[in-house]
Protein backbone atom coordinates (compact mmCIF):
# COMPACT_ATOMS: atom_id res chain seq x y z
CA UNK A 1 0.00 0.00 0.00
CA UNK A 2 2.93 2.34 0.71
CA UNK A 3 4.16 1.83 -2.85
CA UNK A 4 0.67 2.54 -4.19
CA UNK A 5 0.41 5.73 -2.12
CA UNK A 6 3.85 6.86 -3.34
CA UNK A 7 2.93 6.20 -6.98
CA UNK A 8 -0.37 8.08 -6.59
CA UNK A 9 1.37 11.11 -5.02
CA UNK A 10 4.13 11.13 -7.61
CA UNK A 11 1.74 10.74 -10.56
CA UNK A 12 -0.59 13.45 -9.27
CA UNK A 13 2.28 15.91 -8.90
CA UNK A 14 3.60 15.09 -12.38
CA UNK A 15 0.05 15.42 -13.74
CA UNK A 16 -0.32 18.87 -12.16
CA UNK A 17 3.05 19.95 -13.61
CA UNK A 18 2.33 18.77 -17.14
CA UNK A 19 -1.24 20.09 -16.94
CA UNK A 20 0.22 23.55 -16.39
CA UNK A 21 2.24 23.27 -19.61
CA UNK A 22 -0.78 21.81 -21.43
CA UNK A 23 -3.32 24.48 -20.39
CA UNK A 24 -1.04 27.42 -21.20
CA UNK A 25 0.13 25.80 -24.48
CA UNK A 26 -3.49 25.40 -25.60
CA UNK A 27 -4.28 28.95 -24.48
CA UNK A 28 -1.35 30.24 -26.54
CA UNK A 29 -2.48 28.33 -29.62
CA UNK A 30 0.34 25.76 -29.61
CA UNK A 31 -0.35 22.34 -31.11
CA UNK A 32 0.07 19.61 -28.48
CA UNK A 33 0.78 16.21 -30.04
CA UNK A 34 0.63 14.14 -26.84
CA UNK A 35 -0.14 14.59 -23.16
CA UNK A 36 1.31 11.65 -21.20
CA UNK A 37 1.64 10.60 -17.59
CA UNK A 38 4.43 8.06 -17.02
CA UNK A 39 7.16 6.80 -19.34
CA UNK A 40 7.66 3.73 -21.51
CA UNK A 41 4.97 1.77 -23.39
CA UNK A 42 1.42 3.14 -23.23
CA UNK A 43 -1.08 1.28 -21.05
CA UNK A 44 -3.98 3.48 -22.12
CA UNK A 45 -3.90 5.77 -25.15
CA UNK A 46 -6.73 7.78 -26.68
CA UNK A 47 -6.70 10.28 -29.55
CA UNK A 48 -8.98 13.26 -29.05
CA UNK A 49 -8.74 15.91 -31.72
CA UNK A 50 -5.12 16.73 -32.49
CA UNK A 51 -3.82 15.45 -29.12
CA UNK A 52 -3.14 11.90 -27.94
CA UNK A 53 -3.70 11.33 -24.19
CA UNK A 54 -1.62 8.49 -22.72
CA UNK A 55 -1.05 6.69 -19.44
CA UNK A 56 2.31 4.93 -19.63
CA UNK A 57 3.62 1.95 -17.70
CA UNK A 58 6.45 3.49 -15.63
CA UNK A 59 5.21 6.15 -13.16
CA UNK A 60 8.50 8.09 -13.15
CA UNK A 61 7.56 11.18 -15.13
CA UNK A 62 5.39 12.52 -17.88
CA UNK A 63 5.41 15.00 -20.71
CA UNK A 64 3.43 17.46 -22.78
CA UNK A 65 4.81 16.94 -26.31
CA UNK A 66 4.34 20.13 -28.33
CA UNK A 67 4.90 20.52 -32.04
CA UNK A 68 8.26 22.18 -32.67
CA UNK A 69 9.44 21.89 -29.07
CA UNK A 70 12.70 20.02 -29.77
CA UNK A 71 12.88 20.20 -33.55
CA UNK A 72 12.36 22.63 -36.42
CA UNK A 73 8.75 22.83 -37.59
CA UNK A 74 7.07 24.88 -40.29
CA UNK A 75 3.66 24.56 -38.62
CA UNK A 76 2.45 28.06 -37.69
CA UNK A 77 1.07 26.61 -34.45
CA UNK A 78 4.42 25.04 -33.50
CA UNK A 79 6.04 25.99 -30.21
CA UNK A 80 9.18 27.26 -31.98
CA UNK A 81 7.12 29.68 -34.11
CA UNK A 82 5.40 31.38 -31.19
CA UNK A 83 6.61 34.71 -29.71
CA UNK A 84 9.25 34.42 -26.97
CA UNK A 85 6.87 35.65 -24.25
CA UNK A 86 4.36 32.92 -25.04
CA UNK A 87 7.06 30.25 -24.97
CA UNK A 88 8.30 31.60 -21.62
CA UNK A 89 4.78 31.42 -20.16
CA UNK A 90 4.37 27.82 -21.34
CA UNK A 91 7.74 26.77 -19.92
CA UNK A 92 7.12 28.42 -16.54
CA UNK A 93 3.55 27.12 -16.22
CA UNK A 94 4.51 23.62 -15.01
CA UNK A 95 6.59 24.85 -12.07
CA UNK A 96 3.98 27.49 -11.29
CA UNK A 97 1.32 24.78 -10.99
CA UNK A 98 3.53 22.76 -8.62
CA UNK A 99 4.21 25.92 -6.61
CA UNK A 100 0.49 26.63 -6.45
CA UNK A 101 -0.24 23.02 -5.44
CA UNK A 102 2.31 23.16 -2.63
CA UNK A 103 0.87 26.45 -1.39
CA UNK A 104 -2.72 25.14 -1.42
CA UNK A 105 -1.69 21.99 0.47
CA UNK A 106 0.20 24.02 3.10
CA UNK A 107 -2.79 26.36 3.48
CA UNK A 108 -5.00 23.29 4.01
CA UNK A 109 -2.58 21.99 6.66
CA UNK A 110 -2.53 25.39 8.40
CA UNK A 111 -6.33 25.54 8.37
CA UNK A 112 -6.65 21.98 9.70
CA UNK A 113 -3.99 22.49 12.40
CA UNK A 114 -5.25 25.92 13.38
CA UNK A 115 -3.36 28.95 14.63
CA UNK A 116 -2.34 29.45 18.21
CA UNK A 117 -3.87 32.57 19.79
CA UNK A 118 -2.68 34.56 22.80
CA UNK A 119 -5.61 33.19 24.84
CA UNK A 120 -4.81 30.49 27.41
CA UNK A 121 -6.61 27.19 26.74
CA UNK A 122 -5.23 24.94 29.50
CA UNK A 123 -3.17 25.47 32.63
CA UNK A 124 -1.21 22.45 33.82
CA UNK A 125 -2.11 21.62 37.39
CA UNK A 126 0.79 22.26 39.75
CA UNK A 127 2.67 24.34 37.16
CA UNK A 128 4.10 27.82 37.92
CA UNK A 129 1.22 29.46 36.03
CA UNK A 130 -1.31 27.41 38.03
CA UNK A 131 0.28 28.49 41.29
CA UNK A 132 0.31 32.12 40.09
CA UNK A 133 -3.45 32.04 39.44
CA UNK A 134 -3.55 31.97 35.63
CA UNK A 135 -6.88 30.60 34.39
CA UNK A 136 -8.15 29.19 31.06
CA UNK A 137 -9.64 32.01 29.00
CA UNK A 138 -7.08 34.60 30.14
CA UNK A 139 -5.62 36.57 27.22
CA UNK A 140 -1.92 37.35 27.58
CA UNK A 141 -1.32 41.01 26.73
CA UNK A 142 2.29 41.40 27.86
CA UNK A 143 5.16 39.51 29.48
CA UNK A 144 7.56 41.58 31.60
CA UNK A 145 6.09 44.67 29.96
CA UNK A 146 6.74 43.44 26.39
CA UNK A 147 3.65 43.57 24.17
CA UNK A 148 2.43 40.15 22.99
CA UNK A 149 1.14 39.99 19.40
CA UNK A 150 1.13 36.22 18.86
CA UNK A 151 1.77 33.02 20.82
CA UNK A 152 5.36 32.76 19.59
CA UNK A 153 6.04 36.03 21.42
CA UNK A 154 5.04 34.28 24.66
CA UNK A 155 7.35 31.35 23.95
CA UNK A 156 10.25 33.65 23.04
CA UNK A 157 9.89 36.00 26.00
CA UNK A 158 9.25 33.34 28.63
CA UNK A 159 11.70 30.84 27.15
CA UNK A 160 14.56 33.34 26.93
CA UNK A 161 14.11 35.05 30.28
CA UNK A 162 17.16 35.16 32.59
CA UNK A 163 15.05 35.87 35.66
CA UNK A 164 13.46 33.44 38.10
CA UNK A 165 9.96 34.75 37.38
CA UNK A 166 7.99 36.74 34.81
CA UNK A 167 5.26 39.34 35.16
CA UNK A 168 2.15 38.47 33.13
CA UNK A 169 -0.32 41.14 32.04
CA UNK A 170 -3.64 39.39 31.37
CA UNK A 171 -7.15 40.33 30.24
CA UNK A 172 -9.76 38.44 32.26
CA UNK A 173 -13.48 39.13 31.83
CA UNK A 174 -12.64 42.48 30.20
CA UNK A 175 -10.37 43.59 33.05
CA UNK A 176 -6.60 43.88 33.02
CA UNK A 177 -4.80 42.04 35.81
CA UNK A 178 -1.14 41.42 36.57
CA UNK A 179 0.26 38.16 37.97
CA UNK A 180 3.79 37.01 38.71
CA UNK A 181 4.70 33.46 37.70
CA UNK A 182 7.80 31.48 38.58
CA UNK A 183 9.72 29.84 35.73
CA UNK A 184 10.39 26.15 35.26
CA UNK A 185 13.22 25.00 33.00
CA UNK A 186 12.33 22.32 30.45
CA UNK A 187 15.46 20.20 29.85
CA UNK A 188 14.02 18.50 26.76
CA UNK A 189 12.92 21.75 25.07
CA UNK A 190 15.95 23.68 26.32
CA UNK A 191 13.93 26.69 27.51
CA UNK A 192 11.83 28.07 30.35
CA UNK A 193 8.11 27.37 30.62
CA UNK A 194 5.23 28.29 32.91
CA UNK A 195 2.82 25.44 32.08
CA UNK A 196 0.18 26.92 29.79
CA UNK A 197 -1.02 26.05 26.28
CA UNK A 198 -2.85 28.31 23.82
CA UNK A 199 -6.36 28.18 22.42
CA UNK A 200 -6.36 27.38 18.70
CA UNK A 201 -8.47 29.05 16.01
CA UNK A 202 -9.25 27.71 12.53
CA UNK A 203 -9.56 30.78 10.29
CA UNK A 204 -8.98 31.00 6.55
CA UNK A 205 -7.06 34.30 6.36
CA UNK A 206 -4.38 33.35 8.94
CA UNK A 207 -4.21 29.91 7.28
CA UNK A 208 -3.55 31.52 3.88
CA UNK A 209 -0.90 33.75 5.42
CA UNK A 210 0.74 30.80 7.17
CA UNK A 211 0.60 28.60 4.06
CA UNK A 212 2.21 31.25 1.86
CA UNK A 213 4.91 31.99 4.45
CA UNK A 214 5.68 28.29 4.88
CA UNK A 215 5.92 27.84 1.09
CA UNK A 216 8.40 30.70 0.89
CA UNK A 217 10.47 29.36 3.79
CA UNK A 218 10.60 25.87 2.25
CA UNK A 219 11.63 27.28 -1.15
CA UNK A 220 14.48 29.25 0.43
CA UNK A 221 15.59 26.11 2.28
CA UNK A 222 15.63 24.09 -0.97
CA UNK A 223 17.66 26.69 -2.85
CA UNK A 224 20.09 26.80 0.08
CA UNK A 225 20.52 23.01 -0.10
CA UNK A 226 21.17 23.26 -3.86
CA UNK A 227 23.79 25.93 -3.16
CA UNK A 228 25.42 23.64 -0.60
CA UNK A 229 25.50 20.83 -3.18
CA UNK A 230 27.60 23.03 -5.45
CA UNK A 231 29.86 24.25 -2.64
CA UNK A 232 30.37 20.70 -1.34
CA UNK A 233 28.78 21.38 2.07
CA UNK A 234 26.16 18.73 1.22
CA UNK A 235 27.13 15.48 -0.50
CA UNK A 236 25.33 14.24 -3.63
CA UNK A 237 24.96 10.94 -1.77
CA UNK A 238 22.40 12.68 0.46
CA UNK A 239 19.99 13.03 -2.48
CA UNK A 240 17.06 10.62 -2.77
CA UNK A 241 15.09 9.30 -5.75
CA UNK A 242 11.92 7.21 -6.19
CA UNK A 243 12.99 4.55 -3.66
CA UNK A 244 13.68 7.23 -1.07
CA UNK A 245 10.27 8.76 -1.75
CA UNK A 246 8.58 5.40 -1.10
CA UNK A 247 10.33 5.09 2.25
CA UNK A 248 9.49 8.71 3.10
CA UNK A 249 5.82 8.04 2.34
CA UNK A 250 5.97 4.92 4.53
CA UNK A 251 7.42 6.86 7.47
CA UNK A 252 5.00 9.78 7.15
CA UNK A 253 1.97 7.50 6.71
CA UNK A 254 2.73 5.98 10.11
CA UNK A 255 2.73 9.48 11.65
CA UNK A 256 -0.68 10.34 10.16
CA UNK A 257 -2.48 11.61 7.07
CA UNK A 258 -1.56 15.24 7.70
CA UNK A 259 2.13 14.34 7.42
CA UNK A 260 1.53 12.63 4.07
CA UNK A 261 -0.13 15.84 2.84
CA UNK A 262 2.88 17.81 4.10
CA UNK A 263 5.23 15.45 2.25
CA UNK A 264 3.17 15.90 -0.93
CA UNK A 265 3.52 19.67 -0.55
CA UNK A 266 7.27 19.29 -0.05
CA UNK A 267 7.61 17.08 -3.14
CA UNK A 268 5.47 19.43 -5.22
CA UNK A 269 7.60 22.41 -4.25
CA UNK A 270 10.71 20.34 -4.91
CA UNK A 271 9.47 19.68 -8.47
CA UNK A 272 8.83 23.40 -8.96
CA UNK A 273 12.28 24.42 -7.71
CA UNK A 274 14.25 21.69 -9.49
CA UNK A 275 12.51 22.25 -12.82
CA UNK A 276 13.41 25.93 -12.80
CA UNK A 277 17.13 25.25 -12.47
CA UNK A 278 19.04 26.48 -15.59
CA UNK A 279 20.04 22.97 -16.69
CA UNK A 280 19.42 21.50 -20.19
CA UNK A 281 16.12 19.58 -20.55
CA UNK A 282 14.66 21.24 -17.45
CA UNK A 283 12.20 24.10 -17.86
CA UNK A 284 14.74 26.49 -16.39
CA UNK A 285 17.28 25.37 -19.00
CA UNK A 286 14.78 25.94 -21.79
CA UNK A 287 14.05 29.42 -20.43
CA UNK A 288 17.79 30.10 -20.41
CA UNK A 289 18.06 29.06 -24.07
CA UNK A 290 15.06 31.25 -24.86
CA UNK A 291 16.97 34.22 -23.43
CA UNK A 292 20.20 33.26 -25.23
CA UNK A 293 18.41 32.95 -28.56
CA UNK A 294 16.63 36.25 -27.99
CA UNK A 295 20.03 37.90 -27.58
CA UNK A 296 22.00 36.01 -30.27
CA UNK A 297 19.24 35.62 -32.87
CA UNK A 298 19.08 32.44 -34.96
CA UNK A 299 22.67 31.33 -34.39
CA UNK A 300 21.33 28.63 -32.07
CA UNK A 301 18.91 26.54 -34.14
CA UNK A 302 15.99 24.45 -32.85
CA UNK A 303 17.91 21.32 -33.82
CA UNK A 304 21.03 22.39 -31.89
CA UNK A 305 18.98 23.22 -28.81
CA UNK A 306 17.13 19.91 -29.08
CA UNK A 307 20.42 17.98 -29.11
CA UNK A 308 21.66 19.85 -26.03
CA UNK A 309 18.44 19.11 -24.18
CA UNK A 310 18.74 15.43 -25.16
CA UNK A 311 22.21 15.37 -23.57
CA UNK A 312 20.68 16.99 -20.49
CA UNK A 313 18.03 14.26 -20.32
CA UNK A 314 20.71 11.57 -20.48
CA UNK A 315 22.64 13.25 -17.66
CA UNK A 316 19.47 13.49 -15.57
CA UNK A 317 18.77 9.78 -16.16
CA UNK A 318 22.33 9.02 -15.04
CA UNK A 319 21.75 11.07 -11.89
CA UNK A 320 18.47 9.23 -11.26
CA UNK A 321 20.24 5.87 -11.57
CA UNK A 322 22.92 7.07 -9.14
CA UNK A 323 20.48 8.33 -6.48
CA UNK A 324 18.31 5.23 -6.89
CA UNK A 325 21.34 3.03 -6.24
CA UNK A 326 22.16 5.13 -3.17
CA UNK A 327 18.58 4.69 -1.96
CA UNK A 328 18.85 0.92 -2.39
CA UNK A 329 22.07 0.89 -0.38
CA UNK A 330 20.58 3.12 2.34
CA UNK A 331 17.11 1.61 2.68
CA UNK A 332 16.90 -1.87 1.16
CA UNK A 333 20.31 -3.47 1.77
CA UNK A 334 20.19 -2.95 5.60
CA UNK A 335 16.86 -4.86 5.70
CA UNK A 336 18.56 -8.01 4.35
CA UNK A 337 21.84 -7.63 6.22
Amino acid sequence: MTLIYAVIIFCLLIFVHELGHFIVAKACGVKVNEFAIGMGPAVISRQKGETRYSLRIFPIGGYCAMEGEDEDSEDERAFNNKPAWKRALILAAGSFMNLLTATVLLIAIALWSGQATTTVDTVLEGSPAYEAGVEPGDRIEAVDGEKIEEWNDVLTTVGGSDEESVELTLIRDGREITLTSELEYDEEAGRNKIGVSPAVEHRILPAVKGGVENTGAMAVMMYDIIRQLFTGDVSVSELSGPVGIVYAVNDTARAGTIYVVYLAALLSLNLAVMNMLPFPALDGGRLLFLLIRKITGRRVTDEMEGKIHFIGIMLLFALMIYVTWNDIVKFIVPVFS
Side-chain angles (χ1 to χ4, degrees):
M1 288 306 298
T2 296
L3 180 60
I4 292 173
Y5 294 150
V7 168
I8 290 172
I9 291 172
F10 198 67
C11 285
L12 283 175
L13 297 182
I14 293 296
F15 171 76
V16 167
H17 182 92
E18 298 303 332
L19 184 64
H21 291 312
F22 178 80
I23 291 173
V24 179
K26 288 287 190 180
C28 291
V30 173
K31 181 181 179 182
V32 178
N33 295 324
E34 184 176 3
F35 180 80
I37 300 300
M39 306 294 281
V43 178
I44 301 173
S45 184
R46 294 286 185 275
Q47 186 78 29
K48 186 175 181 182
E50 65 184 21
T51 305
R52 178 167 293 277
Y53 300 88
S54 304
L55 180 63
R56 297 183 173 270
I57 193 167
F58 300 117
I60 56 173
Y63 55 88
C64 175
M66 296 174 283
E67 178 73 20
E69 183 180 5
D70 290 318
E71 72 285 330
D72 292 317
S73 175
E74 298 302 323
D75 193 321
E76 64 177 11
R77 295 183 57 220
F79 176 82
N80 63 311
N81 291 327
K82 293 298 179 180
W85 68 269
K86 285 189 176 182
R87 284 180 280 165
L89 285 177
I90 294 168
L91 291 171
S95 290
F96 174 78
M97 285 291 284
N98 280 131
L99 174 65
L100 181 62
T101 300
T103 304
V104 169
L105 290 177
L106 290 174
I107 289 172
I109 291 172
L111 185 61
W112 183 86
S113 302
Q115 298 79 44
T117 67
T118 57
T119 300
V120 176
D121 180 53
T122 57
V123 182
L124 188 64
E125 188 173 349
S127 67
Y130 181 87
E131 299 297 333
V134 178
E135 298 179 0
D138 290 346
R139 189 172 79 247
I140 303 176
E141 286 287 293
V143 177
D144 284 340
E146 293 190 27
K147 180 69 175 176
I148 297 300
E149 300 290 345
E150 55 185 32
W151 187 255
N152 280 339
D153 296 337
V154 178
L155 297 179
T156 301
T157 307
V158 171
S161 176
D162 295 327
E163 306 298 327
E164 294 183 355
S165 62
V166 290
E167 185 178 83
L168 304 174
T169 303
L170 309 172
I171 301 296
R172 180 183 295 171
D173 298 327
R175 297 181 298 106
E176 183 178 295
I177 63 173
T178 300
L179 300 174
T180 300
S181 172
E182 300 293 323
L183 295 175
E184 181 178 276
Y185 188 74
D186 187 333
E187 293 285 349
E188 185 176 345
R191 60 176 176 81
N192 296 319
K193 65 178 184 179
I194 57 175
V196 295
S197 61
V200 175
E201 292 182 341
H202 301 270
R203 294 186 294 141
I204 185 64
L205 288 181
V208 170
K209 179 176 180 290
V212 171
E213 289 177 349
N214 288 338
T215 303
M218 286 169 59
V220 170
M221 176 190 69
M222 287 178 186
Y223 276 113
D224 187 55
I225 291 173
I226 292 170
R227 179 189 62 79
Q228 292 180 54
L229 281 170
F230 282 99
T231 60
D233 294 330
V234 172
S235 172
V236 179
S237 62
E238 296 298 316
L239 298 176
S240 279
V243 175
I245 291 174
V246 171
Y247 275 83
V249 170
N250 181 59
D251 291 340
T252 52
R254 291 177 182 175
T257 303
I258 197 69
Y259 294 95
V260 176
V261 176
Y262 185 84
L263 177 63
L266 182 66
L267 292 174
S268 186
L269 187 59
N270 185 70
L271 279 175
V273 169
M274 295 301 292
N275 268 287
M276 291 308 291
L277 294 178
F279 187 83
L282 297 177
D283 296 332
R286 294 180 183 274
L287 282 169
L288 178 62
F289 267 97
L290 194 62
L291 178 62
I292 292 172
R293 295 179 66 170
K294 190 69 176 175
I295 296 172
T296 62
R298 299 290 295 179
R299 279 182 282 181
V300 179
T301 66
D302 295 327
E303 186 178 353
M304 290 169 58
E305 182 180 343
K307 289 178 179 178
I308 293 172
H309 289 316
F310 178 76
I311 294 171
I313 289 174
M314 292 300 101
L315 292 173
L316 289 172
F317 270 125
L319 178 62
M320 180 177 289
I321 292 170
Y322 173 77
V323 297
T324 300
W325 174 253
N326 277 343
D327 285 344
I328 291 171
V329 172
K330 282 190 293 186
F331 299 112
I332 297 179
V333 171
V335 175
F336 296 98
S337 61

